């Protein structure tokens, strides 16, 4: 199985920056993995933020495009989310999702971390 741990959340004033980290363990060398950030605010559904897939392509939600940057070192079992120009509406629990892509030796699986809280104040 894959274990996922996020870190880096905290409290910051509007306009500030934070970098979130997501570290996974248990990757199988014969499989490929996409790593994705989501967030969820109280009373709202969990929403997609950014993805760095196994093909090293990045995708962003419109709400964070130009402010957030997702990166992934070549080691590939970690991803980072640099968040700049934070807004009050960015306040949420941020989650990392790892998806194991299906292949000859791999089934489609997904794993979530426990989340890290980001709070942006005025």
């Amino acid at each position: 199985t894959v274990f996922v741990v996020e870190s880096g959340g905290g409290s910051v004033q509007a306009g500030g920056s934070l970098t979130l980290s997501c570290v996974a363990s248990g990757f199988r060398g014969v499989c490929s993995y996409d790593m994705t950030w989501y967030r969820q605010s109280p009373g709202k559904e969990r929403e997609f933020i950014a993805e760095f897939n196994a093909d090293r392509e990045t995708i962003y939600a419109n709400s964070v495009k130009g402010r957030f940057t997702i990166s992934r070192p070549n080691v590939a079992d970690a991803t980072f989310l640099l968040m700049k120009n934070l807004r009050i509406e960015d306040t949420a629990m941020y989650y990392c999702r790892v998806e194991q892509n299906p292949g000859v030796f791999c089934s489609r699986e997904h794993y979530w971390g426990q989340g890290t809280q980001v709070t942006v104040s005025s």
Side-chain angles (χ1 to χ4, degrees):
T1 192
V2 172
F3 295 95
V4 182
V5 179
E6 304 98 333
S7 62
S11 298
V12 64
Q13 287 191 318
S17 302
L18 279 175
T19 299
L20 305 183
S21 301
C22 170
V23 177
S25 59
F27 278 11
R28 297 173 59 199
V30 295
C31 303
S32 67
Y33 298 85
D34 299 338
M35 300 185 79
T36 306
W37 286 96
Y38 289 78
R39 67 186 180 190
Q40 188 168 22
S41 304
K44 295 187 178 180
E45 293 188 357
R46 193 168 294 190
E47 65 169 329
F48 166 83
I49 295 300
E51 178 178 282
F52 201 123
N53 66 25
D55 293 325
R56 302 197 67 77
E57 299 166 328
T58 58
I59 307 169
Y60 293 92
N62 287 335
S63 59
V64 305
K65 201 173 290 184
R67 300 188 298 124
F68 291 11
T69 303
I70 189 170
S71 61
R72 187 170 173 183
N74 289 333
V75 174
D77 58 359
T79 184
F80 304 94
L81 187 67
L82 170 60
M83 306 185 295
K84 293 183 177 180
N85 193 20
L86 282 162
R87 304 168 180 169
I88 293 175
E89 55 264 36
D90 293 319
T91 295
M93 185 71 81
Y94 283 70
Y95 296 92
C96 181
R97 181 182 188 267
V98 171
E99 178 149 352
Q100 179 175 288
N101 296 309
V104 175
F105 302 105
C106 310
S107 58
R108 183 180 296 279
E109 308 279 352
H110 66 268
Y111 308 89
W112 292 91
Q114 81 290 348
T116 186
Q117 177 69 37
V118 172
T119 302
V120 185
S121 59
S122 59

